[in-house]
């Protein structure tokens, strides 16, 4: 069993920055890919960015150049640095983790609200 806990969500003005953190705990041997997803009101959950244990990354097109995903394997933590925030970035942001050969896990989500 793995637990994911996000933090860092807040209210911020357009153009501002925010850093989200997600720390994994539990049975972490074999912790593999991690990712951030988001879900805005009335919309489906969408991928924001992924990061492998090797730290190779991929980003959704709308986030390229503004968001940066990173991880600290020693701390079992993944981060999402968000810059140049826009009102359309308003959503609940969810942490995701895959334990190799076992299962997938989700955090509870953290609210990010960007005012215009």
């Amino acid at each position: 069993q793995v637990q994911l806990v996000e933090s860092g969500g807040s209210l911020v003005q357009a153009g501002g920055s925010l850093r989200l953190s997600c720390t994994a705990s539990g049975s972490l041997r074999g912790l593999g890919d991690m990712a951030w997803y988001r879900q805005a009101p009335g919309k489906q959950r969408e991928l924001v960015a992924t990061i492998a244990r090797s730290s190779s990354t991929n980003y959704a097109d709308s986030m390229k150049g503004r968001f940066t995903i990173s991880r600290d394997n020693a701390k079992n933590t993944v981060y999402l640095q968000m810059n140049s925030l826009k009102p359309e970035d308003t959503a609940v942001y969810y942490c995701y983790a895959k334990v190799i050969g076992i299962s997938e896990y989700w955090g509870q989500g953290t609210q990010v609200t960007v005012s215009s």
Side-chain angles (χ1 to χ4, degrees):
Q1 187 71 262
V2 171
Q3 296 79 46
L4 303 175
V5 179
E6 303 101 330
S7 63
S10 186
L11 301 174
V12 63
Q13 290 187 326
S17 298
L18 211 56
R19 189 195 195 201
L20 306 183
S21 299
C22 171
T23 299
S25 62
S27 301
L28 301 178
R29 188 166 185 83
L31 184 64
D33 295 349
M34 299 186 75
W36 287 97
Y37 287 74
R38 70 183 185 185
Q39 187 166 22
K43 296 184 178 180
Q44 297 185 75
R45 189 171 298 187
E46 65 174 339
L47 176 68
V48 174
T50 63
I51 185 165
R53 280 190 66 86
S54 65
S55 293
S56 62
T57 60
N58 284 287
Y59 297 89
D61 288 343
S62 63
M63 269 64 79
K64 290 179 180 177
R66 297 191 299 122
F67 292 6
T68 302
I69 189 170
S70 61
R71 68 190 292 167
D72 185 336
N73 290 334
K75 296 181 179 179
N76 299 309
T77 298
V78 63
Y79 305 94
L80 184 68
Q81 178 67 46
M82 304 185 292
N83 299 323
S84 301
L85 284 163
K86 306 173 182 179
E88 52 263 43
D89 295 320
T90 295
V92 177
Y93 284 71
Y94 295 92
C95 182
Y96 163 94
K98 178 184 293 184
V99 177
I100 299 172
I102 300 178
S103 192
E104 301 175 345
Y105 300 90
W106 293 91
Q108 81 289 348
T110 184
Q111 176 71 233
V112 172
T113 302
V114 184
S115 63
S116 60

